[in-house]
Amino acid sequence: KMTNLSSFSQDYPKAGDAAVNGLFGGLVAGVGMAIALVTTGLVTGSSVASTLARFDPSNSSQALTGTLAHLAVSGTYGLIFGLIWSTATRLMRVHPSLWQSVLAGGGYGLMLWLAAHFVLLPGTQSPLRELAIWQFLSAHLVYGLLLGWRVGRSGQQDLSI
């Protein structure tokens, strides 16, 4: 029995690999989210710089600082998703398909939006609060779907090695 369990657990990425996959997935998804926000911002009359400056944690409205802060948060949340997804699939002893990973990522993006909209941002003076609900929600869904896609692709490649 130990041999079967040992060979089974070798089919899954190690925690470090899952964290790195999530980190890179979060960065890719963060770029996608930024593109979605910039695009909807342009449609609603905001410049690229002003949209990206909303992420500046110092509220000094610096687009570069906002962009770097956004990518740092995106990578961190991606790392967390990678660890959760890897742990969940290992505990359930399943090898999920890519679409299952994408759906899980979409759900994760929705949870991040709920946390940001109802818990993290209400008591702050963050310019992110000025975004329309549909704009902020759709950007988080883009983030989650891209994150799930990237982490799912990485997981499938790990299995083929």
Side-chain angles (χ1 to χ4, degrees):
K1 287 186 179 182
M2 280 302 259
T3 312
N4 292 341
L5 182 59
S6 173
S7 66
F8 181 80
S9 64
Q10 289 176 356
D11 288 344
Y12 293 93
K14 304 264 187 270
D17 293 334
V20 169
N21 288 341
L23 174 67
F24 286 123
L27 291 173
V28 168
V31 169
M33 180 181 185
I35 290 169
L37 283 170
V38 164
T39 302
T40 58
L42 289 171
V43 169
T44 60
S46 295
S47 70
V48 172
S50 66
T51 299
L52 295 174
R54 292 181 187 275
F55 290 95
D56 183 347
S58 69
N59 291 331
S60 63
S61 299
Q62 298 294 316
L64 179 59
T65 303
T67 301
L68 294 175
H70 169 67
L71 290 175
V73 170
S74 297
T76 301
Y77 283 143
L79 184 149
I80 293 167
F81 177 78
L83 289 172
I84 291 170
W85 185 245
S86 174
T87 301
T89 57
R90 182 185 306 250
L91 290 174
M92 292 186 299
R93 297 178 180 245
V94 296
H95 293 292
S97 66
L98 183 58
W99 72 266
Q100 289 169 317
S101 177
V102 169
L103 286 177
Y108 186 70
L110 179 60
M111 289 189 325
L112 291 176
W113 174 77
L114 288 167
H117 187 72
F118 292 107
V119 179
L120 300 174
L121 293 179
T124 70
Q125 298 299 319
S126 172
L128 291 171
R129 294 178 52 217
E130 298 166 8
L131 292 171
I133 289 177
W134 68 268
Q135 190 178 12
F136 206 43
L137 173 59
S138 62
H140 277 84
L141 289 175
V142 166
Y143 174 83
L145 294 170
L146 284 173
L147 175 62
W149 170 77
R150 178 62 176 82
V151 168
R153 280 197 52 202
S154 295
Q156 288 180 339
Q157 291 169 354
D158 290 341
L159 292 175
S160 66
I161 293 175

